[in-house]
Amino acid sequence: LIEPTDGILKVDDQILNKNNFKCWHKNIAHVPQDIFLIDATIKENIAFGVSKNQIDINRVKEAATHAEILKDIENTPLGFDTNVGEGGIKLSGGQKQRIGIARALYKRSNILFLDEATSALDNETEKKVINSLESINNLTLIMIAHRVTTLQYCHNIVKLDKGSIVFNGSYNEYINNQ
């Protein structure tokens, strides 16, 4: 998301630069560990940046389903019209993270970065979320995680240390090398 100060960044042998960064950004969604939520409804937070009258509620529900937050939303009296409070004060940490994941899915990008985005979830909920994300066609999922159990869902693990790749392989290979 930030232009390199040194070297180049290539995707599919094409150098990313000022001329094509914006086009590339349209393909990426990012879910950080700490989700920014506005004092608005759940649907407005999922469809963040979309005007109220332009929100596609079916798309919101689809994103919420894949983020494993739909049942929580449906159990509130106002459903998707429930106000989350300033910074999501009315929600648990796990609910905030799943709304963040739903927000990224609403965007319908091809590449989804999860940067410690499941750290507030219990193991069972995390497994459901990851399994649901894996069922989405044409979605490349890149997970950044410190919790080793999170890595079990990954097809390939790349471990970085001080800017260098120190491991590249499967979860089983990673566990056996520890």
Side-chain angles (χ1 to χ4, degrees):
L1 298 176
I2 300 171
E3 189 174 346
T5 56
D6 187 30
I8 60 171
L9 180 60
K10 280 181 156 184
V11 177
D12 295 332
D13 289 326
Q14 183 173 354
I15 297 173
L16 297 185
N17 56 38
K18 291 178 184 178
N19 297 328
N20 58 13
F21 265 163
K22 288 188 190 243
C23 182
W24 174 244
H25 287 171
K26 291 178 183 178
N27 293 304
I28 299 173
H30 170 251
V31 184
Q33 181 175 6
D34 296 318
I35 305 299
F36 171 77
L37 296 176
I38 58 172
D39 188 7
T41 66
I42 291 172
K43 71 180 172 193
E44 290 171 287
N45 274 285
I46 290 174
F48 188 72
V50 177
S51 62
K52 286 182 187 181
N53 61 346
Q54 295 293 312
I55 294 174
D56 180 340
I57 193 63
N58 291 324
R59 194 165 161 179
V60 168
K61 288 179 181 178
E62 178 186 344
T65 299
H66 281 296
E68 293 292 328
I69 189 77
L70 183 63
K71 289 179 185 173
D72 290 24
I73 295 167
E74 289 176 339
N75 286 332
T76 64
L78 298 176
F80 285 97
D81 291 319
T82 300
N83 188 287
V84 302
E86 185 68 35
I89 192 80
K90 298 177 183 178
L91 304 172
S92 71
Q95 289 171 326
K96 287 183 206 179
Q97 284 190 326
R98 287 180 285 152
I99 286 176
I101 292 168
R103 176 187 294 165
L105 294 173
Y106 185 89
K107 187 177 173 185
R108 290 192 174 155
S109 298
N110 298 323
I111 300 170
L112 176 58
F113 281 88
L114 299 179
D115 187 356
E116 293 285 349
T118 60
S119 62
L121 303 181
D122 61 79
N123 290 336
E124 186 61 31
T125 304
E126 179 183 56
K127 183 177 182 177
K128 287 179 182 177
V129 169
I130 300 303
N131 286 338
S132 182
L133 293 176
E134 284 185 333
S135 73
I136 300 172
N137 291 329
N138 301 318
L139 178 66
T140 299
L141 184 60
I142 300 172
M143 297 176 63
I144 300 161
H146 290 94
R147 189 169 59 186
V148 175
T149 56
T150 301
L151 302 175
Q152 66 185 313
Y153 308 109
C154 299
H155 298 282
N156 190 59
I157 296 170
V158 177
K159 182 176 181 179
L160 301 173
D161 187 18
K162 298 177 186 165
S164 297
I165 296 173
V166 296
F167 176 82
N168 186 357
S170 71
Y171 177 73
N172 288 335
E173 290 170 331
Y174 181 77
I175 293 300
N176 292 331
N177 283 337
Q178 297 303 306

